[in-house]
Amino acid sequence: MKGKQVLLTGGTGGLGRGVTPVVLSKGAEVTIPYRSAKEVENLKSLIPPADFARIKFIETDLTQEKSVENLVNSMERVDVLIHLVGGFSMGKVNEYEFDCWKKDFDLNLNTTFLVCKHSLRRMLENDYGRIITIGSRGAVEPTGQLAAYCAAKAGVVAFTRAIADETKDKNITANVVLPSIIDTPSNRQAMGTENADKWVKPESLAEVICFLGSEIAKDTSGAVIPVYGKA
């Protein structure tokens, strides 16, 4: 990935704080959209100054198409898209608010559509691109009280594979990674640390993502790759 222009969404979040340093270690030039300046400062504390200088931060609302379009157009080119943005809330189907359902789809599926749509547009200009999205184990093994999240992530899987089919005659790939529980500070806070040693480490997930984002992964497209740890 040395010298590649990488759009890394969610780079300042819990997963992103593990993935971003690994992507930078591969020599990439990285653009990260952000909403909170505080999260940028938190990321800065984890990355050596020389690597941090290879990040361009752009304030962006990934749920708004014009904002995403401006983000993508600001880049010299888009060689690699790594879309980490996502999140969930819990609740039984018969009690779940429709507004919460729509929020889950906005965050997990609609942002995926927007960043993939506009990144793919730029990739097609150069006949080169690597798209990596993040699904969830719940996309293929759905569980109760996470219906909206699982349904949205199942949509991410189907959407990513559809892109792979559309680009099969191009030098563009699209793959989706399915983590189980990721060992992030927010998950430790929400679920405790008793089983944290079995969760997927962000750095481990990052290595899978970086392989899929590399030139040598040109023959891998439409793959749905489980990264479940020991859980």
Side-chain angles (χ1 to χ4, degrees), residues 49-153:
D51 286 347
F52 194 79
R54 285 189 283 115
I55 305 176
K56 179 172 70 173
F57 292 96
I58 299 179
E59 188 172 4
T60 308
D61 182 351
L62 295 179
T63 67
Q64 300 299 314
E65 183 163 15
K66 191 62 180 178
S67 186
V68 173
E69 184 178 8
N70 291 339
L71 165 70
V72 173
N73 287 345
S74 73
M75 298 178 64
E76 177 184 345
R77 63 184 189 276
V78 183
D79 298 315
V80 181
L81 166 64
I82 300 171
H83 182 53
L84 304 181
V85 168
F88 68 91
S89 55
M90 299 183 69
K92 295 180 180 180
V93 171
N94 62 300
E95 299 172 352
Y96 211 63
E97 296 289 341
F98 186 41
D99 284 344
C100 293
W101 172 275
K102 290 187 287 186
K103 182 178 178 181
D104 288 339
F105 271 73
D106 271 342
L107 181 61
N108 292 289
L109 184 55
N110 293 343
T111 62
T112 304
F113 166 71
L114 290 175
V115 296
C116 286
K117 172 186 174 178
H118 289 284
S119 295
L120 182 59
R121 170 175 54 81
R122 298 293 307 279
M123 291 173 179
L124 288 167
E125 294 171 358
N126 296 316
D127 193 25
Y128 182 89
R130 302 287 183 264
I131 294 172
I132 305 98
T133 61
I134 303 297
S136 166
R137 186 173 187 168
V140 295
E141 299 177 21
T143 58
Q145 300 196 50
L146 284 170
Y149 175 73
C150 293
K153 286 298 190 181

